[in-house]
Amino acid sequence: MALMQQPATNGQLARSKSDVGLRADPAETGGDGPRESKEGAWIRHGWNEQLDSEEYLSLLTSNFYLYYTEKRHETGGKPKDKTYPLQEWRMKDRLKTVSAALAVCLNLGVDPPDVIKTNPCAKLEAWVDPAALAAGPKAMENIGKNLQSQYETLSIRTRYRQHLDPSIDDTKKFCSQLRRNAKDERVLFHYNGHGVPKPTVSGEIWVFNKNFTQYIPISLYDLQSWLGAPSLFVYDCSDAGNIIHNFNKFIEKHEADNLELRQKDPNAQLQSYADCIQLAACGRKESLPTSPNLPADLFTCCLTTPIEIALRFFVLQSPIPLTVTVEDVAKMPGRLQERRTPMGELNWIFTAITDTIAWNTLPRLLFKKLFRQDLMVAALFRNFLLSQRIMRAHQCHPQSWPELPDTHQHPLWQSWDLAVEMVLAQLPALLKTEEGKKPYEYQHSTFFSEQLTAFDVYLCQGAASQRAPDQLPIVLQVLLSQVHRLRALILLSKFLDLGPWAVNLALSIGIFPYVLKLLQSAASELKPVMVFIWARILAVDQSCQGDLLKDSGYQYFVQILNPASGIPIANASEHRAMCAFIIAMFCKDFHQGQVVCMDPVVMTSCLAHLGDVDNLLLRQWACLCIAQLWLDYPEAKWLGIRELAPHRLCELAFDHVPEVRAAMLYALNNFLGIPDVTDQVAQIEENLALTILVMTNDGSSMVRRELLVFFSTFVKRYENKFMVAAFEHLLEERENVVPPRLETDAVNKAPTASRSSARNISNETIHAAIWRHILIMSVDPHPEIAALAGTVVDHVLHALLHSPLGRATRAAIEDINHPPERSRSRRTAPMEPLAKTAQLHASPSQAGERHEGSLLSSLKRTASVAGALKHLAFPGSVSADTSPTGTLNGSAKAQRLSGAVRAQLPVDWNRPPGQLERPSTPSSHTPGNTPLPRNYRVRDFKEAPSLPLQSKFLDWSIEYFQEPQMKQSDAEEPGSNDYNERLWRRTRNEKIITLTQPQKEHAGSNRWDMASRIFDNGTQPTKMCFHQYEDHVAVTDDRDIVSIWDWNHQRRLNRFSNGNPSGSRINEVTFINEDDQALLMTGSSDGVMRVFRSYESSNKTELVSAWRALTDLVDSNFNAGLVFDWQQGQGRALVAGDVKVIRIWNAATEMCMNDVPARSGSCITSLTSDQVAGDIFVAGFGDGAVRVYDQRNRPREAMVRVWREHRQWITNVHLQRGGPRELVSGSRNGEVKLWDLRHDKALHTTKATSDTLRSLSVHEHAPVFAAGTGLHTVKVFNLDGSHLSTAEPYSRFLHNNRTTPISTIGFHPHRMMLACSALNDSHINLFTCEEKNFPLADD
């Protein structure tokens, strides 16, 4: 959650050099980009020494920070709708193969009648040669014993029963007994039919009679009846495909019989037959291979001894001579269970390869059923993939149900052959070592390290497409090895970082048991990566809480969270933040987790981390971890009280990170609600509320939203006290509207004490103060905040109307909304109690008495009650005629959404002297659409308001761990669309700068009266601002409309409402983040600043942020409203106007950094600042003074110089961004002065006009300024005072009054272009310098 976004070094946005100093011809720079040549370079104010400063040069090339582009701005601080389905990865229906019947029908010495054996032919059965033993019971006994031992390597816990040459009665008996013993678990039926006829066409298998004189067929129907389901069948015989082909037909017959039985007897116990898995050695009309080099039961060997048969197959199929023989292969050293031995390593590799082949070829559900549900089934199906490869080479096609695709040509088999070849190459030396002849150290396979490398390549290149990686099952197997475990975990963490889809894949492959078991490991090198992995898992799937509770796995993270513990990694605080997140998720909606985390170590660790100034994520999640501990758990809240946790949290009220401040409020909201409201509890909660009351002025809408959630919980908890506060506030409001003698009798008859005594109940209480702040927030400039505050107000008023005070409340509302005629003149009287309350959150320098007619007094008075009542829109509360306008219809609701419920102000309230002419904007003013925040949802007024409000901040914060953090964003990733667009914009910007820099010398000596373009804005333009690089100009009118024009093509791109209330207007407009995708910032005379995105796109414009930058506007005869200057390099907005301070807002922290006293009783009319270092700023005042301030000094000592040579209202003061950085000021009497910060007097004075100087603009780089006069002329001068040209803007024929003053003028920051407009005319005129070589725009 970086405060500012900073592009990568290889794709960084270079700061526009024109913004911070002089530029030279590119040819002088030697191809390294534009840089000012030191020869002849000169900057005013003694700043030319910066040309020799390394710090200054680094500023020229420093990265450009972007503001209001954080996640909280992109999402509106609301969680996204989950677009990923949470897959069920746990095996809730896990089964075990508990019993197995090994039916071996060989009848040694007697060949079946339908089999003709070759000579020589395959003889080995279960790796036993019957010919080596006398054909009889001993041979059969060895075969059965070996077969059982082979199966035991797959599952040692299964109970095996050998049935050698069984009769039909024996078969029925042991099959029925098998099902009885297994109950609902799976049974295995292995059938070796090498000594009996092939299965029939209908799928019947053969056994013997008791005397071995006949072959007796067994129907599949009977076999299914005996074994039931779930069952696993293995058929090792010729024509085995006949069995699978007919098996499901008899299943259907069984199901039909069950249905018929159920109809006859609903209580009958029925046997299930559906869940049956089958493996067959070959297809229909296929015979088993009879090669003497292979065992007779080749299919069984593939299923039970895959490594031995695979080695033999490799030797037999090798196209080149090998140094080992089949007999040597049988002597391979090692055991299957020991992965460090040759045999164990091959088995490990084989498991990884077959798992991976199945993962990449099977559907996910089928893979889960066959390879994760039952260990026996998984082992047999892994080996079945090998049988497909081996038996296919001998013209057999193994069959299965469920049917598997053919995998014998999968590329990973080549990796298997390579691994086998590497082991066999060492086999002669290993055998000699076994014989004691020559020592040799086994060289382990590089298979796993190579696969990890391939997985790393995938992560670097192929992960963007969200394609499942082929190597994921191999990574799972690598976790079993201590040698590769750390690397595998690191790669796994990178994979999980890709997002929820990757976490789902990892969980479905079976990664969870491994990472759960690793929590018992004490290896310190695993701690960082384990913390990261678990954070990603819990961010996606919260169901792991119970697993962490078992064996105290959560303690792993509690120990790391402890500041006293050590983590072998540089960024330990980030991993502790993840631990705080893990513990918070462990406690979320899990009371048992809260109970075990009551250990004081958790609370004290989180409190200690609140002071970590270096890691904002740790502070944020320390708060949220405490919040989850407190939620609905009084014991944890009392533990917090003993540890002074609430007061420690309140210290974060001024944290520089909005997310941390919001997390603190979220935690305090969860703290409220201790069941027994004792005096001690009430005092603690009231102190907390009083402490955070200052946050109502926070610049972040996300923080203000969490503050409202806290207020709503507090209001709900002390609802009766807030009802009293609201009722008394209504009485105060009524007294300001209705004379005492005109009060309705209903109030006097109300069952309450006298008004004076009632008013004392809530006077000077925290409840009254909070109520007033909630009323103020109900007209917050951010629509969502206003709507939420309105919900709180509506709830309290709704409760008040339905209380014993309801009658008196209705009467007071009636008096407020419909006062007598003779009392209406009193409606603008100030409310001293409310004004005092408002000053609780104002800085000391802002305090002061408000007079009648001031903006703040009128605004807050309206917001207090009338504005709240105007939004009382819920059914059944009051009659329709209870709002200030007399209705509760849709128009009142629309006013609530726009947040424009404010008092009407006089027309000349914010006009500077001499501008009291009423503009000719048509009375039928067409309103514009008011942009709303992203993800904003309109409140449903049909629903009654309910408290407390619900916070979504925790869910929004969790998304951080669901998003990629290790990789660069798309805008920083070379080759991405965003990166290419940014690169193109940077190139275009440099081209424009390079093109326009040589023009500034000519612009200072040529005429500026060449009419270029003209377009009709439709309304009176009052402010204009050009984009530095786009062909955009933002135009605001004398009300609330912002128009965006493409000046090159003379077409309007967008038109929307700023949202400021009626009677106020937009005072300032500017573009921010101009080097990238710009945002539009506006400031209006009601003290509110707003930021918009997609300002140029109709119907796509969104409100990014809105806050009240000035809270205490001082009333005077002439008002400047709000003025500001934006410092892109520092991310600051210097805001002033009708206040006694210059307020410095930080865009990154969304807080007021400082209040610099203006040290003047006059209003501030203009602000400008140094755009390089950002320390110096200059203010012009209504009394003609120009003051210079240095932010490096203490606020009271910030003013370093004052000039009083102007005698009238300062029209504008401007410090150039580039060129010699001249400081120019102009006053209403036409005097324009040039200043040097080092001198006490003006360097030069130019009399720009003998008439009133209505507007003044200075070019950012060229040595020219333009003056708009009261006689309909625009004069352009050189900075040395030379008059260059005079131009008159176009006016309508009917309004062609040559005495109409110029309303606004503005230079383009780079191009030699000037825009202007006259009063009472909506046209905008563009003039250019007459130099013919100056291109106006890029073609």
Coordinates of all heavy atoms in Angstrom, one line a residue, residues 932-953:
L932 N -20.3 10.6 -9.6 CA -20.4 9.9 -8.3 C -19.1 9.0 -8.2 O -18.4 8.7 -9.1 CB -21.6 9.0 -8.3 CG -23.0 9.7 -8.4 CD1 -24.1 8.7 -8.5 CD2 -23.1 10.6 -7.2
P933 N -18.8 8.7 -6.9 CA -17.6 7.8 -6.7 C -17.9 6.4 -7.3 O -19.0 6.0 -7.5 CB -17.6 7.7 -5.2 CG -18.4 8.8 -4.7 CD -19.5 9.1 -5.7
R934 N -16.8 5.8 -7.6 CA -16.8 4.4 -8.1 C -17.4 3.5 -7.1 O -17.2 3.6 -5.9 CB -15.4 3.9 -8.5 CG -15.4 2.6 -9.1 CD -14.0 2.3 -9.6 NE -13.6 3.1 -10.8 CZ -12.4 3.1 -11.4 NH1 -11.5 2.2 -11.0 NH2 -12.2 3.9 -12.4
N935 N -18.3 2.6 -7.5 CA -18.9 1.6 -6.7 C -19.9 2.2 -5.7 O -20.3 1.6 -4.7 CB -17.9 0.7 -5.8 CG -17.0 0.0 -6.7 OD1 -17.3 -0.5 -7.8 ND2 -15.7 -0.1 -6.3
Y936 N -20.4 3.4 -6.0 CA -21.4 4.1 -5.1 C -22.7 3.5 -5.4 O -23.2 3.4 -6.6 CB -21.3 5.6 -5.4 CG -22.4 6.4 -4.6 CD1 -22.3 6.5 -3.3 CD2 -23.5 6.9 -5.3 CE1 -23.3 7.2 -2.6 CE2 -24.5 7.6 -4.6 CZ -24.4 7.7 -3.2 OH -25.4 8.4 -2.6
R937 N -23.4 3.2 -4.3 CA -24.8 2.7 -4.4 C -25.8 3.6 -3.8 O -25.6 4.0 -2.6 CB -24.9 1.3 -3.8 CG -24.0 0.2 -4.5 CD -24.1 -1.1 -3.9 NE -23.3 -2.1 -4.6 CZ -23.2 -3.4 -4.2 NH1 -23.8 -3.8 -3.1 NH2 -22.4 -4.2 -4.8
V938 N -26.8 3.9 -4.5 CA -27.8 4.9 -4.0 C -28.6 4.2 -2.9 O -29.0 3.0 -3.0 CB -28.7 5.4 -5.1 CG1 -29.8 6.3 -4.6 CG2 -27.9 6.0 -6.2
R939 N -28.8 4.9 -1.8 CA -29.6 4.4 -0.7 C -31.0 4.2 -1.1 O -31.6 5.0 -1.8 CB -29.5 5.4 0.5 CG -30.3 5.0 1.7 CD -30.3 6.1 2.7 NE -31.3 5.9 3.7 CZ -31.6 6.8 4.6 NH1 -31.0 7.9 4.7 NH2 -32.6 6.5 5.5
D940 N -31.6 3.1 -0.6 CA -33.0 2.8 -0.9 C -33.8 3.4 0.2 O -33.8 3.0 1.4 CB -33.2 1.2 -0.9 CG -34.6 0.9 -1.2 OD1 -35.4 1.8 -1.5 OD2 -34.9 -0.3 -1.3
F941 N -34.5 4.5 -0.1 CA -35.2 5.2 0.9 C -36.5 4.5 1.3 O -37.2 5.0 2.2 CB -35.6 6.6 0.4 CG -34.4 7.5 0.3 CD1 -33.6 7.6 -0.8 CD2 -34.0 8.3 1.4 CE1 -32.5 8.4 -0.8 CE2 -32.9 9.1 1.4 CZ -32.1 9.2 0.3
K942 N -36.9 3.4 0.7 CA -38.1 2.7 1.1 C -37.8 1.9 2.3 O -38.7 1.4 3.0 CB -38.5 1.7 -0.1 CG -39.0 2.5 -1.3 CD -39.4 1.5 -2.4 CE -39.9 2.2 -3.6 NZ -40.3 1.3 -4.7
E943 N -36.5 1.6 2.6 CA -36.2 0.9 3.8 C -35.9 1.8 5.0 O -35.3 2.9 4.8 CB -34.9 0.0 3.5 CG -35.1 -1.0 2.4 CD -33.8 -1.8 2.2 OE1 -32.8 -1.5 2.9 OE2 -33.8 -2.7 1.3
A944 N -36.4 1.4 6.1 CA -36.2 2.3 7.3 C -34.8 2.2 7.7 O -34.1 1.2 7.6 CB -37.1 1.7 8.5
P945 N -34.2 3.4 8.1 CA -32.8 3.4 8.5 C -32.5 2.5 9.7 O -33.3 2.5 10.7 CB -32.5 4.9 8.8 CG -33.9 5.4 9.2 CD -34.9 4.7 8.4
S946 N -31.4 1.8 9.7 CA -31.1 0.9 10.8 C -29.6 1.2 11.2 O -28.8 1.4 10.3 CB -31.3 -0.5 10.4 OG -30.5 -0.9 9.3
L947 N -29.3 1.0 12.4 CA -28.0 1.2 12.9 C -27.6 -0.1 13.7 O -28.5 -0.8 14.2 CB -27.9 2.4 13.9 CG -28.2 3.8 13.3 CD1 -27.9 4.9 14.3 CD2 -27.3 4.0 12.0
P948 N -26.3 -0.3 13.9 CA -25.2 0.5 13.4 C -24.9 0.2 11.9 O -25.3 -0.8 11.3 CB -24.0 0.0 14.2 CG -24.3 -1.4 14.5 CD -25.8 -1.5 14.7
L949 N -24.2 1.1 11.3 CA -23.7 1.0 9.9 C -22.7 -0.2 9.9 O -22.0 -0.4 10.8 CB -23.1 2.3 9.4 CG -24.1 3.5 9.4 CD1 -23.2 4.7 8.9 CD2 -25.2 3.3 8.4
Q950 N -22.6 -0.8 8.7 CA -21.7 -2.0 8.6 C -20.5 -1.5 7.8 O -20.6 -0.9 6.8 CB -22.4 -3.1 7.9 CG -23.6 -3.7 8.6 CD -23.3 -4.2 10.0 OE1 -22.3 -4.9 10.2 NE2 -24.1 -3.8 11.0
S951 N -19.3 -1.8 8.4 CA -18.1 -1.5 7.7 C -17.6 -2.6 6.8 O -17.8 -3.8 7.1 CB -17.0 -1.2 8.8 OG -15.7 -1.1 8.2
K952 N -17.1 -2.3 5.7 CA -16.5 -3.2 4.8 C -15.0 -3.1 4.7 O -14.3 -3.6 3.7 CB -17.1 -3.0 3.4 CG -18.6 -3.3 3.3 CD -19.2 -3.2 1.9 CE -20.7 -3.5 1.9 NZ -21.2 -3.3 0.5
F953 N -14.4 -2.4 5.6 CA -13.0 -2.1 5.6 C -12.1 -3.3 5.7 O -11.1 -3.5 5.0 CB -12.6 -1.0 6.6 CG -11.2 -0.7 6.7 CD1 -10.6 0.1 5.7 CD2 -10.3 -1.2 7.6 CE1 -9.3 0.4 5.7 CE2 -9.0 -0.9 7.6 CZ -8.4 -0.1 6.7

